Amino acid sequence: MNIENTQSQMRKGVLEYCILAIIRRNEAYPGDIIDEMKSAGLQLLEGTLYPLLNRLKNAEILSYRWVESLSGPPRKYFKLTEKGEQFYRLLESTWTELSTGVNAVIKGNNEEENQPNNNIEQ
């Protein structure tokens, strides 16, 4: 079994949610998204980010605007659309449900299964 493949699939599963969370707080330039992901310990390459942003734009989850830059070419800043906000809330709900369930499984917090059986017939 290839651990790198499993790790990659786990990361891909939350990548879109994390990117949308960054953009939701404030419209974002792709370089800023990469920097924030890296500072959080999540590696993100431009070759992964740009196709994802374009796919989300084409799905009307994101929109963008061009901003002139004094130090180079204009920059494209992305923001959530109304449809994107609804999509984000669905992802947020899914993440909460998954993370709660996964944590419960990992920690063994299912109280019914961890309690001694007090219903023993005498």
Side-chain angles (χ1 to χ4, degrees):
M1 184 151 200
N2 184 342
I3 188 64
E4 289 85 13
N5 184 49
T6 301
Q7 290 170 327
S8 175
Q9 292 302 314
M10 290 174 77
R11 286 184 189 104
K12 285 179 184 178
V14 297
L15 181 64
E16 191 170 307
Y17 177 54
C18 290
I19 291 168
L20 290 176
I22 292 168
I23 295 171
R24 184 175 188 246
R25 287 194 307 268
N26 197 13
E27 65 179 5
Y29 175 67
D32 296 334
I33 295 169
I34 290 171
D35 290 344
E36 186 167 342
M37 295 287 284
K38 284 183 181 178
S39 71
L42 300 169
Q43 295 303 311
L44 176 61
L45 303 173
E46 285 184 16
T48 302
L49 178 60
Y50 284 99
L52 178 57
L53 291 173
N54 283 328
R55 183 175 59 78
L56 292 168
K57 179 188 66 70
N58 291 339
E60 300 177 348
I61 302 296
L62 297 177
S63 64
Y64 66 88
R65 68 182 179 100
W66 289 101
V67 176
E68 292 296 325
S69 172
L70 298 174
S71 61
R75 293 180 165 194
K76 192 185 280 189
Y77 282 80
F78 288 87
K79 67 178 183 176
L80 286 182
T81 62
E82 188 175 317
K83 182 178 178 180
E85 181 65 35
Q86 294 169 356
F87 184 73
Y88 176 84
R89 285 194 302 267
L90 290 171
L91 287 179
E92 184 177 46
S93 173
T94 301
W95 173 254
T96 300
E97 179 183 307
L98 284 171
S99 63
T100 300
V102 168
N103 285 330
V105 168
I106 290 171
K107 293 176 182 177
N109 287 343
N110 188 337
E111 292 183 23
E112 288 182 13
E113 290 182 13
N114 290 335
Q115 296 296 318
N117 187 351
N118 294 329
N119 296 329
I120 299 174
E121 291 183 27
Q122 297 179 354

